[in-house]
Amino acid sequence: MRRTNIKRHILYIVLAISPLVFNACKTPAIVGKNAKNGLPASYSATQDTINSAQKKWKVFFDDPNLNALIDTALQNNQELNITMQEIEMSKNEIMARRGEYLPFVRLGGGTGVDKVSRFTSKGASDEITEIKPGKHTPVVLPDSYLGAFASWEVDIWHKLRNAQKAAAANYLGTIEGKNFLVTNIVAEIANSYYELMALDTQLDIVKKNIEILNSALLIIKQEKEAAKVTELPVQRFEAEVFKTKTLQYEIQQKIVETENRINFLVGRFPRPVQRSSQQFATLIPTKISAGLPAQLLEKRPDIRRAELSIEAAKLNVSVAKANFYPSLGLSASLGIRSFNPLLLANIPQSLIMSLAGDLAGPLINKNAIMATYKNANAKQIQAVYDYEKTVLNAYIEVTNQLSNIQNLENSYAMKNNQVDALTKSTDISLKLFKAARADYMEVLLTQRDVLESRMELVETRMKQLNAVVNTYRALGGGWN
């Protein structure tokens, strides 16, 4: 008879949970998207397996002043320190997710009074029951307890474990985000440093040009005193001197702003930036090797972060899908309880314990779960597109910078020839003017052209150095 009852209870349980299991099997089928990792075999016809991004920034940059600035920035940069705290928060998220699939145990106790209605089953029972021999159960009954209470959701569908793995992927993604930020900080400081050296060089060129113009102005005044020219060329040369001095002040302001941009990246208040600008004219851009495009997948932190985002998004899809399945929960308690605190120590009479399990799952109105599931799948597809965009952008950045290096090298050679030719024409024009064989405007325009060409030559050299830095960054260098 007892076996028959047990079988009947089991049958009831099976019948009760069968709709949940059947309903869970009817999860919507949503097709995800896989990332395309195809990259060209090389950047050009010649393949190069050496990648300059493998060099640490301390080796890639050989200027001690620049290296000191970068080293200070990696310690004091506020944006970088903010990102470090985001990494710490992501690490704590892993701890929280790990704790969700472990049992929760609480220790507690309390005391109070309870008065039940006489017109209830419990009240009627208390009315005719003795709480202890010879003493009826009082209407107002004290209650004291002390015990441990445990609850645990059994992770039968790996929902909680997948959530922890997703948090771990996001944590690694924040680390790659930090590495990408380091790469950009290193490159930005280097570009600003070379720009500062170029501005110093341009300022020196302007000051020397002012001296040349003043000398030419003195000659023009002597020619006027000799009645060889009128007041017009004197005024024109004086105006050119004033114009060039205005350019001097503009460059000085740019120097201040560039210094403070570096100071901001370094995380300090404005102060002079140590540099060796006198060496700028002899600086030769570093030869850089691009390696193979496939190496971008390993070296670029933004690509690796996007890849980890795909992994986390896929895990979140699994977590959202598990919400359609029934969840199994266990609960237990062990402690002591009595109407009189003095009787709590009377064990086993005051001992209480319980053990229960429950299985529950969605049956009707799953709109919220369905929306979460579809959103998780959409985010997974979005992460794949973001990854593909990041890879494409990285390849195009490297290709553009490699072309930029080559074109700037040719441009610098042409501008250097232009400067040499104009410098020679300056002396010639002045001699011809003294011999009354050239107009003063030829002298003035030649001086103006040589100044512009020298300024452009310095700017082209700065662009060359920036192109090398930007290529190093595009290849994924600077963070290791």
Side-chain angles (χ1 to χ4, degrees):
M1 186 69 177
R2 181 174 297 176
R3 290 182 179 178
T4 303
N5 291 334
I6 293 175
K7 290 180 179 180
R8 185 180 296 124
H9 287 306
I10 294 175
L11 179 60
Y12 290 158
I13 293 173
V14 171
L15 291 175
I17 67 173
S18 58
L20 297 176
V21 177
F22 177 75
N23 192 59
C25 295
K26 296 168 59 179
T27 54
I30 297 180
V31 180
K33 179 177 174 60
N34 295 322
K36 299 177 182 178
N37 291 325
L39 276 171
S42 62
Y43 296 106
S44 60
T46 57
Q47 290 191 0
D48 185 9
T49 58
I50 300 175
N51 191 330
S52 295
Q54 296 173 349
K55 295 181 180 179
K56 297 183 178 180
W57 60 265
K58 289 185 178 181
V59 178
F60 188 80
F61 301 109
D62 56 1
D63 190 319
N65 292 323
L66 174 57
N67 287 351
L69 289 171
I70 295 174
D71 191 54
T72 305
L74 296 184
Q75 298 178 25
N76 299 338
N77 183 268
Q78 286 86 356
E79 187 175 358
L80 183 58
N81 288 329
I82 291 172
T83 303
M84 294 299 296
Q85 297 307 310
E86 292 179 357
I87 292 175
E88 189 66 25
M89 288 186 284
S90 296
K91 185 178 179 181
N92 294 334
E93 183 68 17
I94 299 176
M95 184 187 303
R97 295 294 184 182
R98 183 186 296 119
E100 287 183 355
Y101 66 81
L102 296 176
F104 291 89
V105 180
R106 297 176 292 111
L107 182 64
T111 184
V113 294
D114 188 20
K115 195 275 180 188
V116 299
S117 172
R118 171 64 180 80
F119 303 110
T120 61
S121 59
K122 188 176 185 307
S125 299
D126 288 346
E127 180 72 19
I128 60 174
T129 303
E130 292 183 346
I131 197 167
K132 63 180 181 178
K135 184 176 181 180
H136 286 284
T137 302
V139 177
V140 179
L141 185 66
D143 185 22
S144 299
Y145 70 95
L146 178 65
F149 307 90
S151 61
W152 181 36
E153 181 179 351
V154 183
D155 195 19
I156 52 179
W157 311 115
H158 285 192
K159 178 178 70 174
L160 302 178
R161 285 179 174 82
N162 286 334
Q164 185 210 348
K165 291 179 181 178
N170 288 328
Y171 166 69
L172 296 176
T174 56
I175 294 178
E176 295 300 338
K178 184 266 295 184
N179 293 337
F180 188 59
L181 178 59
V182 168
T183 295
N184 289 328
I185 289 174
V186 169
E188 193 169 352
I189 289 178
N191 284 334
S192 298
Y193 181 79
Y194 291 136
E195 181 182 352
L196 189 59
M197 295 175 68
L199 289 171
D200 288 341
T201 305
Q202 288 181 333
L203 181 62
D204 185 61
I205 291 173
V206 168
K207 289 180 177 179
K208 290 180 180 179
N209 192 73
I210 291 174
E211 293 178 1
I212 294 173
L213 286 173
N214 283 327
S215 299
L217 178 60
L218 182 61
I219 294 174
I220 294 294
K221 288 181 178 180
Q222 292 173 351
E223 294 290 314
K224 176 180 177 294
E225 291 176 358
K228 293 182 179 181
V229 296
T230 63
E231 179 67 16
L232 179 60
V234 175
Q235 295 297 325
R236 292 296 299 267
F237 267 84
E238 284 184 345
E240 191 68 21
V241 171
F242 293 141
K243 176 183 176 181
T244 308
K245 286 184 177 181
T246 302
L247 180 60
Q248 172 187 344
Y249 296 130
E250 292 176 356
I251 294 175
Q252 288 176 347
Q253 177 61 27
K254 290 181 180 179
I255 289 175
V256 172
E257 292 176 359
T258 306
E259 278 188 319
N260 287 337
R261 187 192 315 146
I262 294 174
N263 285 322
F264 177 77
L265 292 171
V266 174
R268 67 190 185 189
F269 286 99
R271 70 174 70 171
V273 174
Q274 296 296 324
R275 69 252 191 199
S276 49
S277 299
Q278 65 276 9
Q279 300 177 1
F280 184 80
T282 59
L283 276 179
I284 298 176
T286 305
K287 294 293 181 181
I288 194 163
S289 300
L292 300 176
Q295 293 172 326
L296 290 175
L297 304 178
E298 177 186 355
K299 298 300 299 179
R300 288 269 301 214
D302 56 336
I303 294 179
R304 295 167 64 178
R305 178 179 60 181
E307 187 177 3
L308 289 166
S309 295
I310 294 177
E311 181 181 346
K314 288 182 177 179
L315 290 167
N316 286 330
V317 172
S318 299
V319 172
K321 186 176 182 180
N323 290 328
F324 289 97
Y325 304 148
S327 59
L328 175 61
L330 299 177
S331 60
S333 63
L334 177 64
I336 52 178
R337 189 168 190 172
S338 174
F339 69 91
N340 188 342
L342 299 177
L343 301 178
L344 289 175
N346 291 352
I347 300 175
Q349 291 87 347
S350 62
L351 187 65
I352 58 170
M353 63 179 64
S354 67
L355 178 62
D358 62 88
L359 187 67
L363 184 61
I364 300 175
N365 193 1
K366 298 181 292 184
N367 290 339
I369 300 175
M370 181 70 72
T372 302
Y373 181 50
K374 289 183 177 181
N375 283 343
N377 189 76
K379 288 181 180 179
Q380 185 264 335
I381 296 175
Q382 187 182 57
V384 171
Y385 283 126
D386 181 68
Y387 172 80
E388 293 175 350
K389 183 192 74 173
T390 305
V391 172
L392 179 61
N393 179 67
Y395 180 82
I396 291 177
E397 280 185 358
V398 174
T399 304
N400 288 343
Q401 292 303 328
L402 291 176
S403 175
N404 194 26
I405 288 176
Q406 183 61 44
N407 289 324
L408 284 172
E409 183 178 350
N410 297 333
S411 176
Y412 184 84
M414 295 300 101
K415 287 187 179 297
N416 194 38
N417 294 335
Q418 179 188 10
V419 169
D420 291 340
L422 287 172
T423 302
K424 293 176 183 178
S425 68
T426 301
D427 297 333
I428 295 173
S429 65
L430 194 57
K431 290 178 181 178
L432 290 175
F433 176 75
K434 290 180 180 179
R437 297 176 60 185
D439 186 70
Y440 75 93
M441 284 300 298
E442 294 185 48
V443 179
L444 184 63
L445 293 176
T446 303
Q447 291 286 352
R448 185 179 298 173
D449 289 342
V450 73
L451 172 62
E452 291 178 356
S453 64
R454 285 176 176 172
M455 299 287 279
E456 290 175 357
L457 182 66
V458 172
E459 187 172 351
T460 303
R461 176 63 85 193
M462 180 193 71
K463 289 180 179 179
Q464 281 185 289
L465 296 169
N466 289 345
V468 171
V469 173
N470 292 334
T471 305
Y472 179 64
R473 172 174 57 183
L475 291 172
W479 61 267
N480 53 342

